[in-house]
Amino acid sequence: MAADDKTMFEIFRETDYNRGFHCIFYTDLEEHAREREIAKAASGETIYTGFVADDVKEAAREEIDRIVDELNEMEEDEAGMPKTSIEQRLAPYLVARPGEATH
């Protein structure tokens, strides 16, 4: 798959008092908000990062949003989700990272 046929995303948790979970689709960021959004994600705790195929990006976004919503509904001290659970739920949408063999 060509590099421009996929979108990198990240699920992260804020490290400030809020500790909220969010997702970011890096290649979808608008120019005026790019630096601010990347800085926000970079200062957070990465929960999961990967690539989704552009032809299923909207469906992937919906599932990622559901995961983020579930994480935000959990008790703050117990909030979390195993990487394998996230990968299972996103399996129909994930593509290999650059330089990584496909599954």
Side-chain angles (χ1 to χ4, degrees), residues 13 21 70-80:
R13 186 175 195 182
F21 291 89
E70 288 174 30
L71 289 166
N72 282 318
E73 291 171 2
M74 295 177 182
E75 290 293 325
E76 182 177 336
D77 294 336
E78 299 173 9

Side-chain angles (χ1 to χ4, degrees), residues 4 20-21 30 40 65 67 71 92-93 101:
D4 58 352
F21 291 89
E30 294 182 19
K40 183 178 174 184
D65 285 343
I67 290 169
L71 289 166
Y93 318 109

Side-chain angles (χ1 to χ4, degrees), residues 33-62:
R34 180 169 291 160
E35 288 183 32
R36 178 176 39 92
E37 292 299 317
I38 290 173
K40 183 178 174 184
S43 68
E45 171 191 351
T46 299
I47 304 302
Y48 189 86
T49 185
F51 290 86
V52 295
D54 284 347
D55 60 341
V56 294
K57 182 168 44 175
E58 289 311 309
R61 184 186 305 273
E62 291 173 10

Side-chain angles (χ1 to χ4, degrees), residues 71-102:
L71 289 166
N72 282 318
E73 291 171 2
M74 295 177 182
E75 290 293 325
E76 182 177 336
D77 294 336
E78 299 173 9
M81 189 176 293
K83 182 178 177 179
T84 54
S85 295
I86 295 172
E87 287 175 341
Q88 259 183 337
R89 290 178 63 174
L90 298 179
Y93 318 109
L94 293 176
V95 295
R97 299 168 192 270
E100 181 181 83
T102 56

